[in-house]
Amino acid sequence: MTEAEDPYLQGLDVYRVGGAVRDARLGWPVKDTDWVVVGASPEEMRRRDFKPVGRDFPVFLHPESHEEFALARTERKSGHGYTGFEVHASPEVTLEEDLARRDLTINAMAETPQGTLVDPHGGLADLETRQLRHVSPAFVEDPLRVLRTARFLARYAGLGFIIADETRRLMRELSESGELAHLVAERVWTETEKALGEPWPEVYFQVLDDCGALEVLMPELAADPAAFDEALGRLHRLPEDIEAESQARWRWARLVEHMDDEDREVLAERLRLPRAHRELSTQAARTRTLLKRVARYGLDGARVMAWLDGVDAWRRSDRVAPLISLVSLEAPELAEDLALAWRLAQQVLPKALVAEGYRGRELGDELARRRWEAIDGALASPGTKS
């Protein structure tokens, strides 16, 4: 709907901005459309029934489409980190001033509702030459831009994008300045989780490593370069049939599964990871340990039982199938053996033992013994290959 067709926009000077402008010209799917309003006040937006939602600066939701309309604003550095800014939004702020505060030139384009491009910083040319380039030296005022630039490259690397040399230099400067240490954990994780959902997530971590940011933000990953490189290679090797919404969680688990429990937990605590991510990382690490022990010592019931106990399989049986699928990526025959052992162990039910008269601790001990017995029987069967 154009400005002329939308009664809520009539008389407002509005421009489509950001990702919608960028991605439409790249042929990339456009998910959300954001708008900037020039020359308006918060009071006028409310009079037009726009709903205010911005905490730090004036942002409003369209009464019908619910698209975001932000008043044009400028920012001035006043402290550390990505929140250390004074925001000035007023009818006097121009579109060009608003675009000048943005991070990359490809994000600093705007267009009218009729599609006329406004491009004061050469964003279209950088789209065509596949460059991620900063808008101005003010790039260094916001340390979050290091992560955002890395994330954009994780999205567009397959299209041939690179980070401009001068922008890489500013990213290194930010990493060395101490500003990254002022980023709150939740914001670092938000950018990282988004990057894990991009087509080339390994690029995100490679960029952070190259500019020195990884050592500051995730030193446990940077500590062992060889293990880090190997971990990046696992990000595209995930269990089959996982749900799309769990892809980022699985990628994180694969990234950190080689770490010992202490380092993995320290990193999780530093980034304030959600519980689900911590638990899946532990399960992947336990599964990696099983693979290593089987390769070194062979397969037996004790190791399989220890693995099942370690991933809390008896209470959370839904965890086992994807972990067996994970094993199949490295050792298909072992995965078949584990699937058979798990299937037989599941047939040992507490209810049957209660009927036999077992109670309390004796019930738990007998249940574990018979499950172990079932697993040993499965591994000793003629069909077992490992």
Side-chain angles (χ1 to χ4, degrees):
M1 181 178 291
T2 67
E3 180 183 354
E5 297 170 332
D6 187 339
Y8 294 101
L9 299 182
Q10 288 181 4
L12 288 180
D13 191 12
V14 298
Y15 299 86
R16 189 180 293 107
V17 293
V21 181
R22 175 195 68 228
D23 287 341
R25 283 164 171 74
L26 275 178
W28 199 267
V30 176
K31 296 181 179 179
D32 300 300
T33 300
D34 296 326
W35 300 83
V36 158
V37 184
V38 178
S41 67
E43 293 74 23
E44 182 176 0
M45 299 299 287
R46 292 191 188 95
R47 283 197 302 269
R48 292 170 177 264
D49 293 328
F50 283 75
K51 179 182 178 182
V53 293
R55 291 187 305 171
D56 301 321
F57 48 84
V59 179
F60 300 83
L61 297 184
H62 189 283
E64 293 182 357
S65 71
H66 305 297
E67 292 175 335
E68 288 193 357
F69 286 72
L71 298 189
R73 66 188 190 271
T74 59
E75 296 172 349
R76 186 172 67 84
K77 185 72 169 175
S78 61
H80 293 293
Y82 79 101
T83 59
F85 291 89
E86 292 180 1
V87 176
H88 173 65
S90 80
E92 288 73 38
V93 177
T94 66
L95 175 64
E96 288 72 18
E97 288 173 329
D98 181 274
L99 295 176
R101 67 175 175 78
R102 297 173 185 264
D103 50 5
L104 302 173
T105 60
I106 64 170
N107 297 331
M109 297 183 292
E111 65 181 14
T112 66
Q114 295 75 32
T116 301
L117 184 67
V118 181
D119 182 21
H121 302 287
L124 184 59
D126 282 339
L127 276 184
E128 292 171 348
T129 58
R130 300 300 195 248
Q131 296 273 332
L132 299 181
R133 188 190 313 278
H134 61 284
V135 170
S136 76
F139 181 92
V140 298
E141 294 179 352
D142 185 356
L144 190 65
R145 289 173 172 175
V146 172
L147 282 75
R148 280 177 52 82
T149 303
R151 176 166 63 82
F152 278 118
L153 193 61
R155 180 181 301 175
Y156 299 129
L159 301 182
F161 272 82
I162 62 171
I163 300 173
D165 289 342
E166 58 269 33
T167 303
R168 282 189 178 271
R169 284 195 292 270
L170 291 183
M171 292 169 69
R172 293 190 195 98
E173 181 181 323
L174 263 171
S175 297
E176 295 168 358
S177 70
E179 277 288 308
L180 290 175
H182 295 281
L183 288 173
V184 297
E186 290 80 4
R187 203 66 185 89
V188 174
W189 173 244
T190 295
E191 290 298 321
T192 300
E193 187 174 32
K194 288 178 181 179
L196 288 166
E198 299 290 4
W200 295 276
E202 68 279 10
V203 171
Y204 173 80
F205 297 98
Q206 288 168 341
V207 170
L208 295 187
D209 190 38
D210 290 343
C211 73
L214 192 70
E215 187 174 359
V216 176
L217 299 172
M218 307 175 203
E220 293 79 13
L221 277 176
D224 186 337
F228 171 66
D229 288 343
E230 182 183 350
L232 294 183
R234 295 194 293 264
L235 294 183
H236 292 283
R237 306 187 68 217
L238 305 179
E240 293 183 357
D241 301 325
I242 62 170
E243 297 177 348
E245 56 266 27
S246 68
Q247 182 186 66
R249 188 161 66 244
W250 273 100
R251 281 177 167 173
W252 178 260
R254 295 240 68 190
L255 184 69
V256 302
E257 68 181 41
H258 64 281
M259 294 181 182
D260 61 35
D261 289 349
E262 181 179 356
D263 283 346
R264 196 174 60 254
E265 184 56 31
V266 168
L267 180 58
E269 187 60 31
R270 178 182 292 107
L271 297 178
R272 301 290 191 268
L273 293 192
R275 179 177 177 180
H277 290 72
R278 298 185 189 217
E279 291 181 345
L280 185 57
S281 297
T282 297
Q283 297 161 38
R286 298 285 182 270
T287 303
R288 180 180 177 86
T289 297
L290 174 67
L291 281 165
K292 293 168 65 176
R293 288 178 177 172
V294 168
R296 185 171 182 178
Y297 303 110
L299 183 62
D300 64 15
R303 294 187 182 94
V304 176
M305 277 291 291
W307 172 64
L308 291 171
D309 289 341
V311 300
D312 200 13
W314 313 113
R315 294 191 303 168
R316 297 291 306 275
S317 59
D318 58 301
R319 294 177 171 180
V320 179
L323 292 174
I324 289 176
S325 180
L326 185 63
V327 171
S328 71
L329 298 174
E330 310 292 337
E333 292 186 357
L334 173 58
E336 292 179 14
D337 294 345
L338 292 176
L340 175 61
W342 170 239
R343 196 158 55 244
L344 295 181
Q346 279 187 298
Q347 296 174 12
V348 181
L349 301 176
K351 185 177 179 180
L353 298 185
V354 170
E356 293 180 27
Y358 288 97
R359 298 290 188 275
R361 182 173 179 178
E362 288 186 351
L363 173 61
D365 291 344
E366 183 63 14
L367 185 61
R369 188 191 70 78
R370 293 198 190 184
R371 284 170 170 168
W372 191 334
E373 187 177 74
I375 291 170
D376 269 339
L379 299 181
S381 67
T384 302
K385 301 179 180 64
S386 297

